[in-house]
């Protein structure tokens, strides 16, 4: 009889009224309601066959969460996929196109790992032309930028050390900044002018766009006399190699995902763009690569829009269904998943999830990318359910005046997915 009642329980989402101050109260109400309608009701059934209880209790919890009145004035899209069972566990508004905020970094990461591979290196090169005569270089120096966001003062000193080891203490020529890797746009499409936006330059040091100034400073500190000027120009094909500094895919990916660093994400996006083989690449080249994977996964790129790699743009639009498809693809591919899951923030432990889900069944269980811009809060990633099944999910809240409301809802969803 109890099982018959369970099967007839509605799994549709409804709306009531709730305020920001009521979030904690709603949580306790939801918990008690869920316990009555799902957990407590299923106690007898559990004794019969635990496998029959799951996923009905999970779906009932999620239905209860969707009854919150926050959805009278806001929108949410959810899809949860059971990777172990290879089936959809739960979905609501899953096809709705929404702004992903920084969960766009997940799509960027999956596409980049798929195209570039986990062994890819971010490079910045130092080359020269001309002749070295009595410790004097009568020629030019070229700094060829590869948009490495991790290039720092130690790397700069390695450049200068390479000049000294070559016996150069005087440069009679010019020092060129080769920024030909990408176009001249230093900001992304659809970025708000008043945001704390990164500068999209191929030559960076300490995340700042003052590479040439710092190079001249370090040369002077090390006693190298520079008689010439600095300007932009392409590195000749016959230029001699002096030094190459690199950082790994995993190093960049870790900060991009854990800390949600926008510059690191855009750097990754432009590496992806450069993989097309084009010169002076643009965001359009990066978008083309993401769209190829969207097509491969059975979706139409024209239904979505990828403006950048960080999620800063107001023009980005994807769906929870599409994000889950990317997570599923990552999980199915050994050259992607180990790198991605290692870089994901861990609930209650590190990154942008350090202060969230610090207790309960979701604690340390959920590994997911957060996303927050004005009016949008999102979370997408992986967790393990109480029956041992691995799940992936996407939750996008739009129309959220206070980001904490969306975050609280997402945390409750994660707890509902993870608890017995």
């Amino acid at each position: 009889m109890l099982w018959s009642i369970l099967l007839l329980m509605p799994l549709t989402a409804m709306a009531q009224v709730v305020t920001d101050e009521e979030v904690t109260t709603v949580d306790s109400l939801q918990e008690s309601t869920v316990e009555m309608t799902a957990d407590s009701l299923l106690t007898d059934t559990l004794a019969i066959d635990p496998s029959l209880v799951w996923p009905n209790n999970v779906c009932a919890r999620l239905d209860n969460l969707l009854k919150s009145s926050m959805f009278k004035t806001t929108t949410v899209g959810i899809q949860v996929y059971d990777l172990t069972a290879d089936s959809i566990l739960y979905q609501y508004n899953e096809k709705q196109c929404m702004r992903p905020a920084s969960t766009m970094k997940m799509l960027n990461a999956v596409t980049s790992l798929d195209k570039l591979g986990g062994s890819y290196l971010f490079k910045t090169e130092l080359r020269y032309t001309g002749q070295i005569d009595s410790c004097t270089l009568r020629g030019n120096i070229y700094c060829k930028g590869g948009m490495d966001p991790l290039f720092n003062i130690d790397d700069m000193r390695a450049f200068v050390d390479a000049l000294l080891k070559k016996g150069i203490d005087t440069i009679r020529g010019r020092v060129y900044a080769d920024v030909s890797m990408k176009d001249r746009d230093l900001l992304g499409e659809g970025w708000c002018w008043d945001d704390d936006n990164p500068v999209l330059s191929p030559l960076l040091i300490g995340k700042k766009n003052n590479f040439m100034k710092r190079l001249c400073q370090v040369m002077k500190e090390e006693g190298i006399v520079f008689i010439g000027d600095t300007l932009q120009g392409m590195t000749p094909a016959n230029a001699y190699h002096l030094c190459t500094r690199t950082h790994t895919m995993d190093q960049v990916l870790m900060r991009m995902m854990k800390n949600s660093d926008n510059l690191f994400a855009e750097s990754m996006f432009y590496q992806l763009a450069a993989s097309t083989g084009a010169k002076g690449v643009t965001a359009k080249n990066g978008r083309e690569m993401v769209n190829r994977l969207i097509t491969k996964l059975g979706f139409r790129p024209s239904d979505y829009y990828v403006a950048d790699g960080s999620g800063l743009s107001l023009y980005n639009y994807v769906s929870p269904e599409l994000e889950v498809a990317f997570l599923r693809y990552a999980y199915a591919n050994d050259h992607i998943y180990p790198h991605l899951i290692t870089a994901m923030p861990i609930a209650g432990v590190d990154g942008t999830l350090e202060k969230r889900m610090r207790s309960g069944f979701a604690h340390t269980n959920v590994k997911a990318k957060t996303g927050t811009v004005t009016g949008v809060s999102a979370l997408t990633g992986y967790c393990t359910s109480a029956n041992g099944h691995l799940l992936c999910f996407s939750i996008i809240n739009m129309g959220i005046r206070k980001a904490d409301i969306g975050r609280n809802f997402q945390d409750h969803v994660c707890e509902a997915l993870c608890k017995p």
Side-chain angles (χ1 to χ4, degrees):
M1 181 62 178
L2 288 173
W3 182 240
S4 298
I5 294 173
L6 170 65
L7 292 177
L8 292 174
M9 285 173 57
L11 296 180
T12 56
M14 303 184 63
Q16 299 173 2
V17 180
V18 84
T19 64
D20 187 21
E21 292 76 12
E22 292 174 316
V23 170
T24 303
T25 305
V26 167
D27 181 36
S28 61
L29 278 173
Q30 289 167 342
E31 288 295 328
S32 61
T33 304
V34 169
E35 291 297 327
M36 292 174 60
T37 59
D39 295 341
S40 298
L41 183 61
L42 294 174
T43 301
D44 294 338
T45 308
L46 184 62
I48 301 172
D49 186 351
S51 66
L52 297 177
V53 178
W54 197 93
N56 292 282
N57 54 352
V58 175
C59 294
R61 291 173 192 146
L62 297 181
D63 279 344
N64 258 288
L65 289 174
L66 285 171
K67 291 177 183 178
S68 168
S69 73
M70 63 186 284
F71 302 117
K72 185 174 183 179
T73 56
T74 68
T75 304
V76 67
I78 302 175
Q79 187 173 80
V80 182
Y81 197 89
D82 186 333
L83 293 163
T84 305
D86 193 19
S87 62
I88 295 171
L89 172 61
Y90 191 90
Q91 56 189 12
Y92 177 80
N93 277 350
E94 74 283 356
K95 296 182 183 295
Q96 184 73 46
C97 276
M98 299 176 164
R99 290 173 58 197
S102 282
T103 60
M104 176 61 75
K105 294 180 175 71
M106 182 275 293
L107 280 74
N108 180 5
V110 172
T111 309
S112 297
L113 285 166
D114 191 42
K115 176 63 179 179
L116 304 175
S119 60
Y120 183 83
L121 296 176
F122 291 67
K123 299 177 182 179
T124 309
E125 295 181 89
L126 184 68
R127 293 179 175 270
Y128 76 98
T129 56
Q131 300 295 322
I132 302 171
D133 181 20
S134 300
C135 299
T136 298
L137 171 64
R138 301 184 185 277
N140 302 321
I141 296 292
Y142 296 86
C143 303
K144 187 174 183 180
M147 205 170 180
D148 179 358
L150 282 168
F151 191 94
N152 57 33
I153 189 62
D154 290 335
D155 296 305
M156 186 66 83
R157 294 193 185 284
F159 269 16
V160 176
D161 284 346
L163 291 169
L164 294 171
K165 288 177 181 178
K166 201 70 177 177
I168 299 171
D169 64 16
T170 304
I171 300 173
R172 292 185 178 273
R174 293 172 169 173
V175 177
Y176 285 91
D178 185 344
V179 291
S180 61
M181 172 192 176
K182 66 176 293 294
D183 62 5
R184 294 179 179 272
D185 291 339
L186 297 181
L187 295 176
E189 177 188 12
W191 288 8
C192 291
W193 65 269
D194 56 349
D195 275 348
D196 183 17
N197 296 315
V199 177
L200 304 181
S201 170
L203 275 173
L204 301 160
I205 177 168
K207 299 178 62 176
K208 295 182 179 180
N209 187 26
N210 59 351
F211 192 98
M212 301 304 283
K213 179 180 179 181
R214 295 298 300 277
L215 175 60
C216 291
Q217 286 177 344
V218 176
M219 286 195 300
K220 184 177 181 180
E221 290 170 5
E222 296 299 324
I224 295 178
V225 178
F226 172 41
I227 304 172
D229 52 7
T230 61
L231 62 163
Q232 291 187 5
M234 290 186 64
T235 306
N238 64 346
Y240 301 107
H241 178 266
L242 275 169
C243 183
T244 299
R245 299 294 286 182
T246 65
H247 290 97
T248 67
M249 168 69 80
D250 285 335
Q251 285 177 304
V252 175
L253 192 65
M254 189 69 68
R255 184 158 174 175
M256 166 182 160
M257 300 296 281
K258 293 279 190 187
N259 298 75
S260 200
D261 192 295
N262 293 319
L263 174 60
F264 280 57
E266 292 303 328
S267 177
M268 184 79 74
F269 192 61
Y270 278 95
Q271 309 297 319
L272 190 59
S275 72
T276 63
K279 300 295 183 182
V281 295
T282 67
K284 181 180 178 181
N285 298 120
R287 175 165 59 249
E288 288 171 356
M289 299 308 297
V290 178
N291 283 344
R292 288 184 192 180
L293 184 51
I294 289 174
T295 301
K296 182 178 180 179
L297 296 178
F299 297 86
R300 295 186 306 179
S302 60
D303 290 341
Y304 315 97
Y305 193 78
V306 176
D308 62 20
S310 62
L312 279 174
S313 177
L314 297 173
Y315 303 156
N316 288 314
Y317 274 92
V318 301
S319 68
E321 179 184 49
L322 183 67
E323 289 199 332
V324 165
F326 270 68
L327 292 169
R328 290 173 57 195
Y329 182 75
Y331 177 70
N333 289 275
D334 291 340
H335 67 289
I336 301 176
Y337 186 71
H339 299 277
L340 181 68
I341 196 66
T342 301
M344 286 281 202
I346 303 172
V349 175
D350 62 16
T352 53
L353 284 180
E354 181 180 3
K355 296 181 180 180
R356 293 174 58 177
M357 295 174 270
R358 303 184 90 170
S359 62
F361 294 95
H363 178 65
T364 73
N365 185 337
V366 171
K367 299 174 178 65
K369 183 70 199 75
T370 59
T372 306
V373 293
T374 302
V376 180
S377 180
L379 187 69
T380 184
Y382 302 92
C383 66
T384 302
S385 64
N387 69 342
H389 284 208
L390 182 63
L391 312 177
C392 64
F393 61 87
S394 170
I395 312 163
I396 304 178
N397 291 95
M398 280 191 64
I400 299 290
R401 184 170 171 271
K402 295 183 178 180
D404 281 347
I405 296 176
R407 294 183 187 124
N408 287 338
F409 173 77
Q410 295 150 20
D411 292 355
H412 295 153
V413 169
C414 289
E415 185 69 9
L417 294 176
C418 297
K419 71 181 294 186

